[in-house]
PDB file of all heavy atoms in Angstrom:
ATOM      1  N   SER X  13      10.011   1.450  39.806  1.00 93.00           N
ATOM      2  CA  SER X  13      10.704   2.235  38.761  1.00 93.00           C
ATOM      3  C   SER X  13      12.159   1.862  38.708  1.00 93.00           C
ATOM      4  O   SER X  13      12.743   1.798  37.594  1.00 93.00           O
ATOM      5  CB  SER X  13      10.549   3.750  39.061  1.00 93.00           C
ATOM      6  OG  SER X  13       9.175   4.130  39.093  1.00 93.00           O
ATOM      7  N   ASP X  14      12.797   1.568  39.823  1.00 92.00           N
ATOM      8  CA  ASP X  14      14.177   1.163  39.825  1.00 92.00           C
ATOM      9  C   ASP X  14      14.369  -0.166  39.141  1.00 92.00           C
ATOM     10  O   ASP X  14      15.344  -0.418  38.430  1.00 92.00           O
ATOM     11  CB  ASP X  14      14.719   1.092  41.267  1.00 92.00           C
ATOM     12  CG  ASP X  14      14.850   2.448  41.889  1.00 92.00           C
ATOM     13  OD1 ASP X  14      14.805   3.447  41.144  1.00 92.00           O
ATOM     14  OD2 ASP X  14      14.956   2.537  43.161  1.00 92.00           O
ATOM     15  N   LEU X  15      13.441  -1.106  39.389  1.00 92.00           N
ATOM     16  CA  LEU X  15      13.578  -2.432  38.819  1.00 92.00           C
ATOM     17  C   LEU X  15      13.432  -2.466  37.318  1.00 92.00           C
ATOM     18  O   LEU X  15      14.028  -3.312  36.628  1.00 92.00           O
ATOM     19  CB  LEU X  15      12.520  -3.364  39.452  1.00 92.00           C
ATOM     20  CG  LEU X  15      12.709  -3.702  40.936  1.00 92.00           C
ATOM     21  CD1 LEU X  15      11.536  -4.520  41.411  1.00 92.00           C
ATOM     22  CD2 LEU X  15      14.006  -4.482  41.149  1.00 92.00           C
ATOM     23  N   ILE X  16      12.678  -1.541  36.751  1.00 91.00           N
ATOM     24  CA  ILE X  16      12.477  -1.534  35.290  1.00 91.00           C
ATOM     25  C   ILE X  16      13.389  -0.501  34.604  1.00 91.00           C
ATOM     26  O   ILE X  16      13.313  -0.341  33.382  1.00 91.00           O
ATOM     27  CB  ILE X  16      11.014  -1.213  34.921  1.00 91.00           C
ATOM     28  CG1 ILE X  16      10.590   0.141  35.436  1.00 91.00           C
ATOM     29  CG2 ILE X  16      10.098  -2.312  35.488  1.00 91.00           C
ATOM     30  CD1 ILE X  16       9.156   0.535  35.033  1.00 91.00           C
ATOM     31  N   ASN X  17      14.219   0.207  35.364  1.00 91.00           N
ATOM     32  CA  ASN X  17      15.131   1.182  34.793  1.00 91.00           C
ATOM     33  C   ASN X  17      16.401   0.510  34.307  1.00 91.00           C
ATOM     34  O   ASN X  17      17.115  -0.145  35.083  1.00 91.00           O
ATOM     35  CB  ASN X  17      15.470   2.238  35.862  1.00 91.00           C
ATOM     36  CG  ASN X  17      16.234   3.415  35.240  1.00 91.00           C
ATOM     37  OD1 ASN X  17      16.674   3.365  34.113  1.00 91.00           O
ATOM     38  ND2 ASN X  17      16.395   4.445  36.012  1.00 91.00           N
ATOM     39  N   ASN X  18      16.671   0.641  33.026  1.00 89.00           N
ATOM     40  CA  ASN X  18      17.837  -0.049  32.440  1.00 89.00           C
ATOM     41  C   ASN X  18      19.151   0.725  32.619  1.00 89.00           C
ATOM     42  O   ASN X  18      20.207   0.199  32.311  1.00 89.00           O
ATOM     43  CB  ASN X  18      17.613  -0.240  30.929  1.00 89.00           C
ATOM     44  CG  ASN X  18      18.573  -1.211  30.325  1.00 89.00           C
ATOM     45  OD1 ASN X  18      18.968  -2.205  30.954  1.00 89.00           O
ATOM     46  ND2 ASN X  18      19.030  -0.942  29.091  1.00 89.00           N
ATOM     47  N   GLN X  19      19.090   1.949  33.131  1.00 88.00           N
ATOM     48  CA  GLN X  19      20.271   2.788  33.256  1.00 88.00           C
ATOM     49  C   GLN X  19      20.657   3.005  34.737  1.00 88.00           C
ATOM     50  O   GLN X  19      21.635   3.752  34.996  1.00 88.00           O
ATOM     51  CB  GLN X  19      20.009   4.176  32.608  1.00 88.00           C
ATOM     52  CG  GLN X  19      19.605   4.110  31.181  1.00 88.00           C
ATOM     53  CD  GLN X  19      20.646   3.457  30.308  1.00 88.00           C
ATOM     54  OE1 GLN X  19      21.860   3.603  30.530  1.00 88.00           O
ATOM     55  NE2 GLN X  19      20.203   2.746  29.272  1.00 88.00           N
ATOM     56  N   LEU X  20      19.987   2.367  35.654  1.00 88.00           N
ATOM     57  CA  LEU X  20      20.236   2.637  37.067  1.00 88.00           C
ATOM     58  C   LEU X  20      21.514   1.952  37.502  1.00 88.00           C
ATOM     59  O   LEU X  20      21.785   0.795  37.159  1.00 88.00           O
ATOM     60  CB  LEU X  20      19.057   2.125  37.914  1.00 88.00           C
ATOM     61  CG  LEU X  20      18.948   2.664  39.338  1.00 88.00           C
ATOM     62  CD1 LEU X  20      18.593   4.111  39.291  1.00 88.00           C
ATOM     63  CD2 LEU X  20      17.909   1.872  40.110  1.00 88.00           C
ATOM     64  N   PRO X  21      22.387   2.641  38.263  1.00 91.00           N
ATOM     65  CA  PRO X  21      23.602   1.997  38.804  1.00 91.00           C
ATOM     66  C   PRO X  21      23.288   1.003  39.911  1.00 91.00           C
ATOM     67  O   PRO X  21      22.183   0.992  40.464  1.00 91.00           O
ATOM     68  CB  PRO X  21      24.434   3.168  39.294  1.00 91.00           C
ATOM     69  CG  PRO X  21      23.436   4.202  39.652  1.00 91.00           C
ATOM     70  CD  PRO X  21      22.323   4.066  38.658  1.00 91.00           C
ATOM     71  N   SER X  22      24.251   0.194  40.269  1.00 92.00           N
ATOM     72  CA  SER X  22      24.088  -0.775  41.370  1.00 92.00           C
ATOM     73  C   SER X  22      23.844  -0.025  42.668  1.00 92.00           C
ATOM     74  O   SER X  22      24.604   0.907  42.996  1.00 92.00           O
ATOM     75  CB  SER X  22      25.299  -1.658  41.490  1.00 92.00           C
ATOM     76  OG  SER X  22      25.536  -2.358  40.311  1.00 92.00           O
ATOM     77  N   HIS X  23      22.830  -0.420  43.419  1.00 92.00           N
ATOM     78  CA  HIS X  23      22.581   0.195  44.709  1.00 92.00           C
ATOM     79  C   HIS X  23      21.674  -0.734  45.547  1.00 92.00           C
ATOM     80  O   HIS X  23      21.086  -1.661  45.025  1.00 92.00           O
ATOM     81  CB  HIS X  23      21.951   1.583  44.555  1.00 92.00           C
ATOM     82  CG  HIS X  23      20.534   1.544  44.159  1.00 92.00           C
ATOM     83  ND1 HIS X  23      20.108   1.270  42.898  1.00 92.00           N
ATOM     84  CD2 HIS X  23      19.370   1.752  44.904  1.00 92.00           C
ATOM     85  CE1 HIS X  23      18.760   1.325  42.851  1.00 92.00           C
ATOM     86  NE2 HIS X  23      18.308   1.581  44.047  1.00 92.00           N
ATOM     87  N   PHE X  24      21.576  -0.430  46.825  1.00 95.00           N
ATOM     88  CA  PHE X  24      20.752  -1.205  47.740  1.00 95.00           C
ATOM     89  C   PHE X  24      19.827  -0.274  48.499  1.00 95.00           C
ATOM     90  O   PHE X  24      20.192   0.864  48.860  1.00 95.00           O
ATOM     91  CB  PHE X  24      21.692  -1.952  48.751  1.00 95.00           C
ATOM     92  CG  PHE X  24      20.937  -2.643  49.865  1.00 95.00           C
ATOM     93  CD1 PHE X  24      20.293  -3.855  49.628  1.00 95.00           C
ATOM     94  CD2 PHE X  24      20.853  -2.083  51.118  1.00 95.00           C
ATOM     95  CE1 PHE X  24      19.589  -4.486  50.634  1.00 95.00           C
ATOM     96  CE2 PHE X  24      20.152  -2.710  52.146  1.00 95.00           C
ATOM     97  CZ  PHE X  24      19.530  -3.907  51.898  1.00 95.00           C
ATOM     98  N   ASP X  25      18.611  -0.793  48.731  1.00 93.00           N
ATOM     99  CA  ASP X  25      17.630  -0.074  49.530  1.00 93.00           C
ATOM    100  C   ASP X  25      16.774  -1.094  50.292  1.00 93.00           C
ATOM    101  O   ASP X  25      16.778  -2.276  49.946  1.00 93.00           O
ATOM    102  CB  ASP X  25      16.762   0.830  48.656  1.00 93.00           C
ATOM    103  CG  ASP X  25      16.087   1.954  49.449  1.00 93.00           C
ATOM    104  OD1 ASP X  25      16.289   2.016  50.674  1.00 93.00           O
ATOM    105  OD2 ASP X  25      15.374   2.765  48.839  1.00 93.00           O
ATOM    106  N   TYR X  26      16.036  -0.647  51.251  1.00 91.00           N
ATOM    107  CA  TYR X  26      15.252  -1.607  52.055  1.00 91.00           C
ATOM    108  C   TYR X  26      14.019  -0.928  52.620  1.00 91.00           C
ATOM    109  O   TYR X  26      13.933   0.311  52.720  1.00 91.00           O
ATOM    110  CB  TYR X  26      16.098  -2.200  53.187  1.00 91.00           C
ATOM    111  CG  TYR X  26      16.547  -1.180  54.189  1.00 91.00           C
ATOM    112  CD1 TYR X  26      15.797  -0.929  55.345  1.00 91.00           C
ATOM    113  CD2 TYR X  26      17.724  -0.462  54.008  1.00 91.00           C
ATOM    114  CE1 TYR X  26      16.210  -0.011  56.293  1.00 91.00           C
ATOM    115  CE2 TYR X  26      18.156   0.479  54.946  1.00 91.00           C
ATOM    116  CZ  TYR X  26      17.396   0.696  56.087  1.00 91.00           C
ATOM    117  OH  TYR X  26      17.819   1.627  57.005  1.00 91.00           O
ATOM    118  N   THR X  27      13.039  -1.753  52.972  1.00 92.00           N
ATOM    119  CA  THR X  27      11.886  -1.333  53.716  1.00 92.00           C
ATOM    120  C   THR X  27      11.757  -2.311  54.903  1.00 92.00           C
ATOM    121  O   THR X  27      12.589  -3.189  55.110  1.00 92.00           O
ATOM    122  CB  THR X  27      10.609  -1.399  52.865  1.00 92.00           C
ATOM    123  OG1 THR X  27      10.345  -2.746  52.477  1.00 92.00           O
ATOM    124  CG2 THR X  27      10.757  -0.541  51.607  1.00 92.00           C
ATOM    125  N   SER X  28      10.696  -2.142  55.676  1.00 89.00           N
ATOM    126  CA  SER X  28      10.492  -3.040  56.837  1.00 89.00           C
ATOM    127  C   SER X  28       9.986  -4.404  56.437  1.00 89.00           C
ATOM    128  O   SER X  28      10.033  -5.322  57.231  1.00 89.00           O
ATOM    129  CB  SER X  28       9.499  -2.401  57.837  1.00 89.00           C
ATOM    130  OG  SER X  28       8.245  -2.163  57.188  1.00 89.00           O
ATOM    131  N   TRP X  29       9.563  -4.605  55.140  1.00 91.00           N
ATOM    132  CA  TRP X  29       9.053  -5.892  54.734  1.00 91.00           C
ATOM    133  C   TRP X  29       9.821  -6.517  53.575  1.00 91.00           C
ATOM    134  O   TRP X  29       9.579  -7.681  53.268  1.00 91.00           O
ATOM    135  CB  TRP X  29       7.560  -5.792  54.396  1.00 91.00           C
ATOM    136  CG  TRP X  29       7.216  -4.848  53.276  1.00 91.00           C
ATOM    137  CD1 TRP X  29       7.044  -5.155  51.972  1.00 91.00           C
ATOM    138  CD2 TRP X  29       6.966  -3.451  53.398  1.00 91.00           C
ATOM    139  NE1 TRP X  29       6.736  -4.050  51.242  1.00 91.00           N
ATOM    140  CE2 TRP X  29       6.659  -2.970  52.062  1.00 91.00           C
ATOM    141  CE3 TRP X  29       6.965  -2.510  54.455  1.00 91.00           C
ATOM    142  CZ2 TRP X  29       6.378  -1.646  51.830  1.00 91.00           C
ATOM    143  CZ3 TRP X  29       6.669  -1.209  54.187  1.00 91.00           C
ATOM    144  CH2 TRP X  29       6.394  -0.769  52.879  1.00 91.00           C
ATOM    145  N   TYR X  30      10.758  -5.825  52.992  1.00 93.00           N
ATOM    146  CA  TYR X  30      11.587  -6.451  51.935  1.00 93.00           C
ATOM    147  C   TYR X  30      12.871  -5.620  51.749  1.00 93.00           C
ATOM    148  O   TYR X  30      12.935  -4.453  52.136  1.00 93.00           O
ATOM    149  CB  TYR X  30      10.830  -6.622  50.625  1.00 93.00           C
ATOM    150  CG  TYR X  30      10.533  -5.355  49.890  1.00 93.00           C
ATOM    151  CD1 TYR X  30      11.481  -4.826  48.957  1.00 93.00           C
ATOM    152  CD2 TYR X  30       9.374  -4.643  50.086  1.00 93.00           C
ATOM    153  CE1 TYR X  30      11.207  -3.663  48.278  1.00 93.00           C
ATOM    154  CE2 TYR X  30       9.104  -3.453  49.408  1.00 93.00           C
ATOM    155  CZ  TYR X  30      10.040  -2.960  48.501  1.00 93.00           C
ATOM    156  OH  TYR X  30       9.784  -1.825  47.832  1.00 93.00           O
ATOM    157  N   ASP X  31      13.863  -6.254  51.149  1.00 94.00           N
ATOM    158  CA  ASP X  31      15.099  -5.581  50.737  1.00 94.00           C
ATOM    159  C   ASP X  31      15.140  -5.534  49.220  1.00 94.00           C
ATOM    160  O   ASP X  31      14.684  -6.454  48.542  1.00 94.00           O
ATOM    161  CB  ASP X  31      16.307  -6.305  51.275  1.00 94.00           C
ATOM    162  CG  ASP X  31      16.405  -6.288  52.777  1.00 94.00           C
ATOM    163  OD1 ASP X  31      15.995  -5.278  53.379  1.00 94.00           O
ATOM    164  OD2 ASP X  31      16.849  -7.283  53.358  1.00 94.00           O
ATOM    165  N   MET X  32      15.706  -4.467  48.696  1.00 94.00           N
ATOM    166  CA  MET X  32      15.787  -4.321  47.244  1.00 94.00           C
ATOM    167  C   MET X  32      17.236  -4.032  46.832  1.00 94.00           C
ATOM    168  O   MET X  32      17.891  -3.135  47.342  1.00 94.00           O
ATOM    169  CB  MET X  32      14.873  -3.164  46.782  1.00 94.00           C
ATOM    170  CG  MET X  32      14.491  -3.214  45.313  1.00 94.00           C
ATOM    171  SD  MET X  32      15.671  -2.415  44.190  1.00 94.00           S
ATOM    172  CE  MET X  32      15.533  -0.706  44.729  1.00 94.00           C
ATOM    173  N   LEU X  33      17.722  -4.839  45.894  1.00 94.00           N
ATOM    174  CA  LEU X  33      19.097  -4.697  45.372  1.00 94.00           C
ATOM    175  C   LEU X  33      19.055  -4.648  43.861  1.00 94.00           C
ATOM    176  O   LEU X  33      18.453  -5.497  43.214  1.00 94.00           O
ATOM    177  CB  LEU X  33      19.955  -5.887  45.846  1.00 94.00           C
ATOM    178  CG  LEU X  33      21.400  -5.936  45.296  1.00 94.00           C
ATOM    179  CD1 LEU X  33      22.232  -4.812  45.913  1.00 94.00           C
ATOM    180  CD2 LEU X  33      22.036  -7.292  45.601  1.00 94.00           C
ATOM    181  N   VAL X  34      19.739  -3.657  43.301  1.00 94.00           N
ATOM    182  CA  VAL X  34      19.956  -3.571  41.868  1.00 94.00           C
ATOM    183  C   VAL X  34      21.445  -3.778  41.658  1.00 94.00           C
ATOM    184  O   VAL X  34      22.276  -3.076  42.227  1.00 94.00           O
ATOM    185  CB  VAL X  34      19.498  -2.194  41.296  1.00 94.00           C
ATOM    186  CG1 VAL X  34      19.885  -2.069  39.834  1.00 94.00           C
ATOM    187  CG2 VAL X  34      18.025  -2.039  41.490  1.00 94.00           C
ATOM    188  N   PHE X  35      21.792  -4.739  40.822  1.00 93.00           N
ATOM    189  CA  PHE X  35      23.183  -5.145  40.633  1.00 93.00           C
ATOM    190  C   PHE X  35      23.461  -5.204  39.139  1.00 93.00           C
ATOM    191  O   PHE X  35      22.813  -5.975  38.413  1.00 93.00           O
ATOM    192  CB  PHE X  35      23.444  -6.480  41.279  1.00 93.00           C
ATOM    193  CG  PHE X  35      24.904  -6.806  41.478  1.00 93.00           C
ATOM    194  CD1 PHE X  35      25.587  -6.366  42.567  1.00 93.00           C
ATOM    195  CD2 PHE X  35      25.573  -7.559  40.536  1.00 93.00           C
ATOM    196  CE1 PHE X  35      26.925  -6.635  42.762  1.00 93.00           C
ATOM    197  CE2 PHE X  35      26.939  -7.838  40.674  1.00 93.00           C
ATOM    198  CZ  PHE X  35      27.589  -7.385  41.815  1.00 93.00           C
ATOM    199  N   ARG X  36      24.397  -4.414  38.686  1.00 90.00           N
ATOM    200  CA  ARG X  36      24.765  -4.423  37.262  1.00 90.00           C
ATOM    201  C   ARG X  36      25.719  -5.573  36.975  1.00 90.00           C
ATOM    202  O   ARG X  36      26.743  -5.698  37.622  1.00 90.00           O
ATOM    203  CB  ARG X  36      25.393  -3.099  36.829  1.00 90.00           C
ATOM    204  CG  ARG X  36      24.461  -1.892  37.034  1.00 90.00           C
ATOM    205  CD  ARG X  36      25.069  -0.643  36.414  1.00 90.00           C
ATOM    206  NE  ARG X  36      24.962  -0.679  34.961  1.00 90.00           N
ATOM    207  CZ  ARG X  36      23.919  -0.168  34.257  1.00 90.00           C
ATOM    208  NH1 ARG X  36      22.916   0.395  34.910  1.00 90.00           N
ATOM    209  NH2 ARG X  36      23.906  -0.225  32.970  1.00 90.00           N
ATOM    210  N   ARG X  37      25.371  -6.359  35.989  1.00 84.00           N
ATOM    211  CA  ARG X  37      26.199  -7.503  35.655  1.00 84.00           C
ATOM    212  C   ARG X  37      27.366  -7.088  34.745  1.00 84.00           C
ATOM    213  O   ARG X  37      27.338  -5.978  34.168  1.00 84.00           O
ATOM    214  CB  ARG X  37      25.361  -8.550  34.897  1.00 84.00           C
ATOM    215  CG  ARG X  37      24.808  -8.021  33.592  1.00 84.00           C
ATOM    216  CD  ARG X  37      24.005  -9.064  32.866  1.00 84.00           C
ATOM    217  NE  ARG X  37      23.592  -8.580  31.551  1.00 84.00           N
ATOM    218  CZ  ARG X  37      23.011  -9.303  30.605  1.00 84.00           C
ATOM    219  NH1 ARG X  37      22.767 -10.574  30.845  1.00 84.00           N
ATOM    220  NH2 ARG X  37      22.656  -8.811  29.437  1.00 84.00           N
ATOM    221  N   LEU X  38      28.388  -7.916  34.675  1.00 79.00           N
ATOM    222  CA  LEU X  38      29.512  -7.732  33.742  1.00 79.00           C
ATOM    223  C   LEU X  38      29.580  -8.969  32.849  1.00 79.00           C
ATOM    224  O   LEU X  38      30.008 -10.034  33.280  1.00 79.00           O
ATOM    225  CB  LEU X  38      30.829  -7.571  34.508  1.00 79.00           C
ATOM    226  CG  LEU X  38      30.931  -6.335  35.426  1.00 79.00           C
ATOM    227  CD1 LEU X  38      32.201  -6.387  36.207  1.00 79.00           C
ATOM    228  CD2 LEU X  38      30.881  -5.076  34.620  1.00 79.00           C
TER     229      LEU X  38
END
């Protein structure tokens, strides 16, 4: 849901098998 959300701010999260980063471009 975070990956397909167009309004989500930049943030970082992780699990034991992958890391997830959402980064807003300028």
Side-chain angles (χ1 to χ4, degrees):
S13 301
D14 291 345
L15 291 174
I16 62 178
N17 189 350
N18 194 37
Q19 305 299 326
L20 198 68
S22 301
H23 75 284
F24 172 78
D25 200 0
Y26 64 92
T27 65
S28 59
W29 60 94
Y30 71 89
D31 296 325
M32 200 274 293
L33 176 69
V34 174
F35 196 86
R36 299 189 75 91
R37 62 179 186 172
L38 296 175

